[in-house]
Amino acid sequence: MKAMSRRNFAALAAACALAFSLLPLAGCGGGPTSSSSSASSDEKVELQIFAANSLEQAMPLVQQLYTERHPNVTFADSQFKASGDLVEEVQAGASADILITASKATMDDAEDFIDPVTRLNMFGNDLVVCAAEGSTISIEGLEDLAEPGIERIAIGDAAFVPAGKYANQALYRCNLYTGQEGEGGAYDEAIASKVSLADKVGTCAQWVASGNCDIGFIYTSDLYRYSGVKSIYTVPATEHKDIVYPGAVLNDSGHEDVARDFIDFCMTDPDALAIWQDNGFELK
């Protein structure tokens, strides 16, 4: 009986020692309880990002920087499209970890699919009217778009492209568009026949650079990612709603901690901040 008791005591002691050794892993010690710890672990993670088209040049540079700091984290083929198109894909069941749109309204449309705790305003931008490099077109205000010297105007389709909605809001202020909110209205007859609606803001820049349009509404950041265009007018910020890029982690993300850590990295890492600023984005 004595020998049996010693064995039972030894087994109990071993079990207790094992239990105490596992406490840190349960968050009672120095275990990986933060998102940065998850990002720095050896577990292989691939993040999928859906981001507004205007982030197409800067975002991959920041992703590359993040992978250099966290070799276990890589990125799937990020989708850069009009914000409205991205939201429609999410609503239809497309899987991604992070959504970044070019307006508060488009992120609001995705509110049932994001973790609201993770939502924050990441970037700002300016709306400009661009012309082709070498063009002699100049304007002093948006009312000049009605002048005969301007024949073709590229504007993003406001149903999907936030830049188009901002442009329409500004055109409303000078009586060239009938919808105060920037969508659902009509262009004044002075410019209606001139307007070409684009599927994304980058298309506006491409049409102007190629000569298919005389001028176009784009963001300041687009001047950095497309050659052949120049700004001829910056639309006053008071003429449209604040240009804000919200970002959030999607509910169906399988890597929420790492996704949150990447968003934090975008907003706090000095090298990442320099990339955004070098590409024309304003930090919120």
Side-chain angles (χ1 to χ4, degrees):
M1 291 294 296
K2 291 181 180 180
M4 180 66 70
S5 296
R6 283 196 296 271
R7 283 197 297 271
N8 288 341
F9 179 80
L12 177 62
C16 289
L18 177 61
F20 279 105
S21 71
L22 292 176
L23 282 176
L25 298 179
C28 300
T33 59
S34 68
S35 60
S36 59
S37 297
S38 300
S40 302
S41 71
D42 292 330
E43 178 187 0
K44 298 297 183 182
V45 173
E46 183 180 64
L47 293 181
Q48 173 72 69
I49 297 179
F50 282 8
N53 174 250
S54 48
L55 292 163
E56 187 175 22
Q57 176 167 292
M59 180 61 76
L61 299 176
V62 177
Q63 291 175 180
Q64 180 180 352
L65 184 64
Y66 188 81
T67 297
E68 290 174 359
R69 307 281 175 81
H70 308 283
N72 63 303
V73 181
T74 57
F75 294 85
D77 184 23
S78 297
Q79 299 297 302
F80 299 103
K81 298 180 180 179
S83 298
D85 288 335
L86 293 174
V87 171
E88 283 192 351
E89 290 186 15
V90 169
Q91 293 171 336
S95 179
D97 297 289
I98 295 171
L99 174 67
I100 304 174
T101 68
S103 74
K104 294 179 180 179
T106 45
M107 185 62 79
D108 290 344
D109 290 338
E111 63 181 351
D112 292 337
F113 302 87
I114 64 170
D115 178 354
V117 175
T118 67
R119 176 174 173 169
L120 78 163
N121 296 331
M122 299 179 68
F123 316 111
N125 219 324
D126 290 317
L127 185 69
V128 301
V129 177
C130 71
E133 287 184 356
S135 171
T136 59
I137 293 176
S138 64
I139 62 173
E140 296 182 0
L142 295 185
E143 60 275 3
D144 291 347
L145 272 58
E147 296 297 323
I150 297 175
E151 298 180 354
R152 293 159 296 181
I153 305 168
I155 302 177
D157 185 343
F160 304 97
V161 185
K165 186 180 294 187
Y166 297 131
N168 291 344
Q169 291 166 4
L171 290 171
Y172 170 83
R173 297 294 191 95
C174 57
N175 300 313
L176 292 176
Y177 188 78
T178 61
Q180 184 174 3
E181 294 301 311
E183 61 180 339
Y187 295 102
D188 184 80
E189 62 179 11
I191 66 168
S193 62
K194 302 180 180 184
V195 172
S196 296
L197 296 181
D199 62 339
K200 53 184 180 288
V201 66
T203 301
C204 291
Q206 292 171 334
W207 284 351
V208 173
S210 66
N212 289 324
C213 287
D214 299 315
I215 63 170
F217 286 86
I218 63 174
Y219 296 123
T220 295
S221 59
D222 295 310
L223 299 171
Y224 293 81
R225 66 189 185 112
Y226 291 103
S227 60
V229 293
K230 64 179 181 180
S231 173
I232 61 170
Y233 181 74
T234 299
V235 181
T238 54
E239 300 299 298
H240 55 74
K241 291 185 177 180
D242 192 22
I243 299 176
V244 175
Y245 289 65
V249 177
L250 288 160
N251 288 332
D252 66 353
S253 171
H255 311 289
E256 181 180 354
D257 285 350
V258 182
R260 294 181 69 164
D261 188 71
F262 177 72
I263 291 178
D264 180 70
F265 177 86
C266 287
M267 305 303 298
T268 60
D269 182 84
D271 294 329
L273 297 178
I275 290 174
W276 301 124
Q277 291 170 332
D278 288 347
N279 283 273
F281 291 97
E282 303 164 4
L283 282 303
K284 288 295 182 180

